[in-house]
Amino acid sequence: MKNIKIIILLSLLFVMEVFAENPITPIKNPKSEMEIVVAVAANFKNPMEEIRLAFLKLNPEANIKLIFGASGQLTNQIQNGAPVDIFLSADMDFPLALYKDGYGLHQPKVYAVGVLVLFSQKEIDKLKSISELLLSDNIKFIAIANPKTAPYGKAAVETLQSLGIYEKLKHKFVFGESITQVNQFISTGSADVGFSSFSTLYGNEDTFRYWKQVDSTTYSTIHQGLIIIHTKETKSEEEKITINKLFDFLFSSETKSILLKYGYKIPDK
Amino acid sequence: MMLSFDPIWLTLELAILTTFVLTLITIPISYWLTFSSFRYRFIIEAILNLPLVLPPTVLGFYLLLVFSPNHWFGGWIEKLFHFRIAFSFFGILIGSILFSLPFMLQALQVGFSSIPKTHINTAKVLGKSKLEILFRVILPNCKPAILAGMILTFAHTIGEFGVVLMIGGSIPGKTKVTSIAILEEVEAMNYHSAHIYASVLIVISMIVLLVLFRYKRSVSMVFAEKD
C-alpha cells in the first residue's frame, strides 16, 4: 500500500512540475574547480574527442568534459539550466534559438559543414542514381533521422524532395531519433539504406562498406554552428580564458585537419 | 501545428493487445511455475523476469538485431512471409509483450500461490483433471490477481518507451506511439504539443489507477504480497 501512495504522490508532483508556469529552476551543479563542459551533437562525437585531446596537449591544465546528444535534446537541456559552457550543434537553428533567448554570449558561428551520405549493408551500385536505388523493390526501408530535430534528416528530406521522389518513398521511411539511431538501423541491417553523415564512415569502414555521397546541390548546406553559453554561475578568470582558448582552437588549422579527416568541409571565410 | 491523434490510438491499441496476449500466455506459464516440481524451475523464472532489471534499450537493441534480415531468424521470417518484424506494429507488440511479461507473471504467481493447497488437493481427490482444476478452482479464485496483472501490464505498456524507440523507427500510424511523439515534440521545442500528449497519458493512467483502487480491497492483497 505504501508503494502505491508514493507512486501517486510522485505522479502528482510530476504533473505539478509539468504544468507549472515557470520552467524548473536551473539545477546548481557543484562543479569541481575549473571544469569546462562542452555539449556536442552526436554526429560530431569522434572528431570532438580528437580535438579535445589535441587541445589538452597544448593546455594540459584544462579540464574539459564532453557531453553528447541530439542537438534538440541538448538545446532543451541548456534551456533548463544544464551547466554547459560551449554548445556544438549539428545545425544553426538551435544555436540561433538559444541566442535569441539570451543564452549565448555572442552570435553562433559555423565551425563545420556536414556532408550527407547514403549508407547500406547491401551492396549498392554506385553508378545508379539515388532515385533508381531507392525506388527499386529490394529497398524496403529507408532510415532517416527525424527531420524536425536532426539536420541530417532535414537534408535527406530536402534531397528526396528535390529529386521528386519523396512522396513515392513515403511508405519506406523509418525515423531515427538522431543520426546515431539511423546508424544503428543501418548497421544492424534492419533498414536497407539510410541517410547519415559522411563522418560516420571514418573508423567504421567495416560496418558501412557500401555508401554513396549525395549530390550536395540537392540539399541546403549543413552548417554546424557553435555558441558559447552564458551560464548563470559566475566564472573564474581562468575558466573564461580556457573557454576562449578552446573557442579559438575550434577554428585553428589543427582542428581543420581533423575536420577534413572525418569528412567535414571547412566553412568559408 | 497539427496535432495527430494517431500516436494515442496506437498506444491504446498496443496496450490492449499486449494485455490480452499476455493474459492468455501467462496463465499457463504461471500455472506451471507455481505448481510444477521441476527442479530447475528457478532458472526459467529468472529468465522470464529478466526484463524487469534489464534496461529496455538493451532488450530493444537485441530485438532489433534478431529482427534484421541479416540475422537467421529475421532472414527466415523475411524469406517465408516477405515481412520484416522491425519497424512494424507486430515488432513493437512483441517487444512490449516480452518487456511487460514479468509484471503479469508476478501478479499471477502471487495469486496462484495464495490458493489454499487443500482446495487443489480436494479437487484432485475428486478426480478432476489439471485443466479442470485450473478453470474451476484456480482462475475463479484469482480474479483480483488477474485484474491487477492486467492493469499493471496495461499501464506499463502505455508508458513504454525504450523498446519501441529502438525497434519502432517512429513511423506515423504504425509505430509512433505517444511516448515517442512526446520525445520528438520536446526535442523540436514544441512544448505545447508535448504537454497535450503528456496530459492525455496522465488522464489514461489516472483512470487505470482509479479502476485499480476501486477494487483495491481485493487487489491490495496482490500488492501486499509483492512488497
Side-chain angles (χ1 to χ4, degrees), chain B residues 1 5 13 23 32 64 74 86 121-122 133 197 208 216 226:
Chain B
M1 158 214 0
F5 274 89
E13 226 174 291
T23 312
W32 181 74
L64 184 68
N121 287 337
T122 314
I133 295 175
Y197 282 132
V208 169
K216 87 174 166 195
K226 251 186 101 180

Side-chain angles (χ1 to χ4, degrees), chain A residues 6-30:
Chain A
I6 291 170
I7 290 170
I8 291 201
L9 205 73
L10 284 179
S11 40
L12 275 178
L13 271 176
F14 171 75
V15 173
M16 278 157 69
E17 207 152 33
V18 165
F19 291 100
E21 277 296 304
N22 297 316
I24 310 146
T25 42
I27 312 140
K28 273 255 157 98
N29 248 42

